[in-house]
Amino acid sequence: MTERANNFPPLPKFLKVRPCFYQNIQEEIPAPHQQLVKRIFTLWMIYSGTLCLNVIGCIAWWAAGGYGSNFGFSLLWLILFSPASYLCWFRPIYKAIRADSSFNFMAFFFIFFLQVVVAVIQCLGINNWGICGWIATVTFFSHNAAAATVMLLTTLLLTLVTTLMVVVLIKVHRLYRGSGGSMTRAQEEWGTGTWKNAPVRKDEFSAVDQTAQGPSLPEYPAAVPSYLDNRSW
């Protein structure tokens, strides 16, 4: 495999900080599952954008007579959850589908389930938690309708994101069941350390053939798993 430079997150060249991950869905993800991975990545971007909008909603909330602590917490959720959600649940599902890794599937299910629980709590909108959810938005309409309308936009988007997260969880679970994954396979990957990196193709080509085909090969098994549930969603 040729050495590839990390390309995500995309950062300006003048910064000394460099990207932390290599991400290329077209190259690394098997063709039948590229659309699913793209949609999960889009879901992460929408969630991060919702947290940004939530900061604006909390500013309106604060300006109309709410507590400043909501604005502070909204910044905390944005700074904390945006990178953490990419690292903790998008990267595991990316590596799981790329390498048919049971361990990474298990990691995704555990962390993403917690993410869904957090998203449901955020939708509720408990006061002084820094989230413009339903409780905070509906109760604030009696104080300032304009600010509550801005908060309502965040609330509706949070509700949409939470619903999409549930759909993704169900879809990925069906995909995992169809791939033949199991806890035993996850334990084997943990014991051998193969969960850390995608498995390399078997040496089924000669050096001459590899030279003719190009300098590198995608990092997923030669035989793409045959999943039972291939319905569109």
Side-chain angles (χ1 to χ4, degrees), residues 25 41 50 56 74 88 90-91 118 121 124 134 137 149 189:
I25 296 176
F41 181 66
T50 302
I56 299 175
S74 67
C88 296
F90 176 74
R91 287 301 297 181
V118 170
I121 295 175
L124 293 177
W134 285 106
T137 301
T149 301
E189 291 177 14

Side-chain angles (χ1 to χ4, degrees), residues 4-226:
R4 294 170 299 186
N6 293 337
N7 59 3
F8 192 89
L11 298 172
K13 294 184 178 180
F14 63 84
L15 293 179
K16 293 184 179 180
V17 180
R18 291 288 171 259
C20 302
F21 307 99
Y22 180 80
Q23 178 176 307
N24 191 324
I25 296 176
Q26 296 293 336
E27 177 184 336
E28 293 194 310
I29 303 300
H33 317 300
Q34 289 179 4
Q35 186 180 47
L36 174 61
V37 176
K38 288 178 181 178
R39 287 177 172 174
I40 297 176
F41 181 66
T42 301
L43 176 61
W44 170 77
M45 290 193 293
I46 295 174
Y47 180 61
S48 299
T50 302
L51 294 178
C52 292
L53 184 60
N54 179 65
V55 174
I56 299 175
C58 285
I59 292 175
W61 190 2
W62 185 16
Y67 294 102
S69 58
N70 289 311
F71 171 68
F73 277 118
S74 67
L75 283 178
L76 177 63
W77 303 147
L78 174 62
I79 296 172
L80 179 64
F81 279 102
S82 291
S85 56
Y86 177 85
L87 182 63
C88 296
W89 55 259
F90 176 74
R91 287 301 297 181
I93 192 59
Y94 182 91
K95 293 187 288 186
I97 297 179
R98 179 186 68 181
D100 190 26
S101 170
S102 289
F103 179 87
N104 283 295
F105 269 115
M106 291 295 181
F108 168 80
F109 288 135
F110 176 74
I111 298 172
F112 197 68
F113 176 77
L114 295 179
Q115 172 69 84
V116 172
V117 173
V118 170
V120 171
I121 295 175
Q122 290 176 331
C123 279
L124 293 177
I126 302 174
N127 287 320
N128 298 321
W129 276 37
I131 294 292
C132 302
W134 285 106
I135 295 176
T137 301
V138 172
T139 56
F140 204 71
F141 262 105
S142 59
H143 297 280
N144 191 300
T149 301
V150 178
M151 295 166 62
L152 182 61
L153 295 176
T154 301
T155 303
L156 293 174
L157 197 53
L158 267 174
T159 305
L160 174 63
V161 168
T162 303
T163 304
L164 292 177
M165 284 181 176
V166 174
V167 172
V168 165
L169 187 62
I170 295 173
K171 182 67 178 180
V172 174
H173 182 260
R174 289 176 178 174
L175 183 114
Y176 177 70
R177 290 182 60 187
S179 70
S182 64
M183 181 63 72
T184 302
R185 282 184 57 188
Q187 292 173 343
E188 291 175 355
E189 291 177 14
W190 174 263
T192 58
T194 56
W195 63 275
K196 297 180 181 179
N197 297 296
V200 180
R201 284 178 182 262
K202 296 180 180 180
D203 295 330
E204 54 186 350
F205 302 105
S206 64
V208 176
D209 291 335
Q210 290 180 355
T211 302
Q213 292 180 4
S216 62
L217 292 171
E219 293 187 56
Y220 50 81
V224 177
S226 177

